[in-house]
Amino acid sequence: MPVMLRTIETAVPSTILHQDQARDVFAAQPGLTRLGQRLVATSFDSAAIRTRYTAVDEMTLDSGSEDPVFFDSASGLLLSPSTKVRNALFAREAGALFVEAGRKALDATEGLGPEDVTHVVTVSCTGFYNPGPDYQLVRALGLAPSVQRYHLGFMGCYAAFPALRAAKLFCEADPDAVVLVVCAELCSLHVRTSNNPDTIMGSALFADGAAAAIVTAREDLPGGAAAFSLDHFETVLTPVGEDSMAWNIGDEGFEMVLGTYVPHIIDDHIVGALGPLLARDASLGGIEFKDIPHWGIHPGGRAILDRVEKRLGLSEAQLEPARRVLRDYGNMSSATVLFVLKDILDGGGEGRVCSMAFGPGLTVETSLMTLLPAHAWA
């Protein structure tokens, strides 16, 4: 039996950010130049985002916090807490999202219970603490204390793919393995006011959320629900772009570098990045990209999706899952592509799926999967 991604479940914080309101707050910050104000308006309005979610509950106009740390709704000022303060909030809030997504994934997988999980892989690049989320999942979900635990930290938006690839390898090495993969990111902890175009772009795009997946090759479990077969993974580093996307730790939070040239780099190198992946399957030799039915693209931003669609000759429908996630949730770093894959999984259909995400380096992670519809496998 192939290694199957049987379930994807998601979780988001309760506080909603409306893009137009966030734009007005950022545009009204003191210290912005005229150019900075124009860049804020353009970046927020062109992001193709309607709503995002944040774990910072005071980041709304009506929060009325008496002792604000991140945002003073009375004055409309964005504040500048230290990295320590931001990371303390991550340690307090991220665990709840890890556990919620993980529990939902376990509950949604027929025939599996906490006692069946053999491996846990957690992913995040927006904070650190130890004992970490891998430990919390074992305790909160009642997993066996002997579960093997791994944490992938500070990799960025593409990190769900190394996590899924590791899960696949675990299952190939042990036919009885059941791997719980959970990505959770609190990107909104690190927003700040700035005249820097890269910082403004990050503030317009990034959000909070978590996604969990169950990966296994066990043959004794009930079939029937739609699932993905995990076929192949590949990693490619583009020859340029090392300075165009980066993630550094500063005194007032983590500092995102998201250069405006990134969509151009992806446009120039995406075909070459897909070559090694598609070469893994002889049946795809000579096939046009548009003939692969499903595309799970990490929505790093509207411009990236536009470039991918045009360069690969894809239809609007093939990019709709990614655009829908961007519109409703924003860019949640590593968790985002799992939201897109869940959209594809829940949407029905069948056939091959090509999925990819981009991150610091500039790194392109790709995966080839097969969407198996409900009751088509067991």
Side-chain angles (χ1 to χ4, degrees):
M1 184 175 179
V3 177
M4 306 294 294
L5 197 171
R6 293 181 58 112
T7 304
I8 302 175
E9 294 293 335
T10 62
V12 293
S14 59
T15 301
I16 302 176
L17 292 178
H18 296 277
Q19 186 76 345
D20 56 347
Q21 295 177 0
R23 174 203 62 209
D24 293 345
V25 167
F26 275 83
Q29 296 306 301
L32 281 183
T33 63
R34 284 188 176 182
L35 176 59
Q37 292 174 332
R38 290 198 298 270
L39 286 173
V40 167
T42 299
S43 298
F44 278 73
D45 288 344
S46 65
I49 294 171
R50 183 178 61 192
T51 53
R52 294 180 279 169
Y53 293 81
T54 176
V56 186
D57 56 12
E58 66 182 44
M59 290 286 285
T60 60
L61 294 175
D62 57 355
S63 66
S65 175
E66 295 182 359
D67 188 20
V69 177
F70 286 80
F71 176 62
D72 183 354
S73 60
S75 65
L77 290 179
L78 289 166
L79 308 178
S80 300
S82 68
T83 300
K84 179 179 180 179
V85 169
R86 297 175 197 256
N87 194 66
L89 183 60
F90 178 87
R92 193 163 63 244
E93 300 294 335
L97 280 182
F98 274 105
V99 171
E100 180 183 352
R103 178 174 286 117
K104 288 170 69 174
L106 270 179
D107 290 346
T109 308
E110 187 179 359
L112 281 182
E115 69 280 0
D116 294 299
V117 176
T118 59
H119 300 71
V120 168
V121 182
T122 54
V123 178
S124 189
C125 69
T126 49
F128 303 93
Y129 60 96
N130 202 5
D134 53 320
Y135 171 90
Q136 285 181 303
L137 285 168
V138 171
R139 292 302 194 200
L141 301 183
L143 309 184
S146 58
V147 164
Q148 296 183 36
R149 309 186 334 258
Y150 303 86
H151 181 72
L152 301 181
F154 221 65
M155 298 183 78
C157 294
Y158 63 81
F161 287 105
L164 291 176
R165 182 169 56 233
K168 183 176 188 287
L169 291 172
F170 295 149
C171 294
E172 289 172 340
D174 178 3
D176 294 323
V178 174
V179 186
L180 173 62
V181 174
V182 190
C183 303
E185 304 286 7
L186 304 188
C187 305
S188 70
L189 297 184
H190 305 291
V191 299
R192 71 198 67 230
T193 182
S194 175
N195 287 296
N196 184 296
D198 294 349
T199 303
I200 291 172
M201 183 60 68
S203 299
L205 289 174
F206 283 100
D208 303 349
I214 297 291
V215 178
T216 186
R218 277 179 49 175
E219 298 182 349
D220 62 327
L221 300 177
F228 292 113
S229 168
L230 296 179
D231 302 332
H232 304 291
F233 291 89
E234 287 289 343
T235 302
V236 171
L237 297 180
T238 62
V240 296
E242 182 176 350
D243 298 327
S244 297
M245 189 183 293
W247 193 219
N248 302 302
I249 299 177
D251 292 334
E252 296 178 349
F254 299 173
E255 299 169 353
M256 166 58 72
V257 176
L258 187 61
T260 56
Y261 198 66
V262 168
H264 300 277
I265 297 172
I266 293 172
D267 188 22
D268 289 343
H269 297 285
I270 188 171
V271 172
L274 285 170
L277 178 74
L278 301 184
R280 299 286 297 272
D281 189 329
S283 69
L284 298 178
I287 194 173
E288 293 189 35
F289 296 116
K290 64 181 178 63
D291 292 330
I292 297 175
H294 305 284
W295 286 81
I297 308 299
H298 167 68
R302 176 183 177 181
I304 289 176
L305 294 180
D306 289 346
R307 296 274 179 165
V308 170
E309 181 177 325
K310 183 176 181 180
R311 174 64 68 178
L312 301 183
L314 304 179
S315 68
E316 291 183 7
Q318 287 171 306
L319 267 292
E320 182 56 28
R323 294 193 190 277
R324 189 157 42 234
V325 169
L326 181 64
R327 180 195 68 203
D328 294 342
Y329 298 98
N331 183 343
M332 300 163 285
S333 192
S334 68
T336 320
V337 75
L338 291 177
F339 275 68
V340 177
L341 289 171
K342 176 175 172 57
D343 187 287
I344 294 172
L345 189 65
D346 293 346
E350 58 185 307
R352 302 310 287 274
V353 181
C354 189
S355 188
M356 67 181 72
F358 323 95
L362 198 148
T363 302
V364 183
E365 288 279 353
T366 58
S367 176
L368 192 63
M369 308 179 189
T370 303
L371 174 57
L372 302 173
H375 307 295
W377 65 281

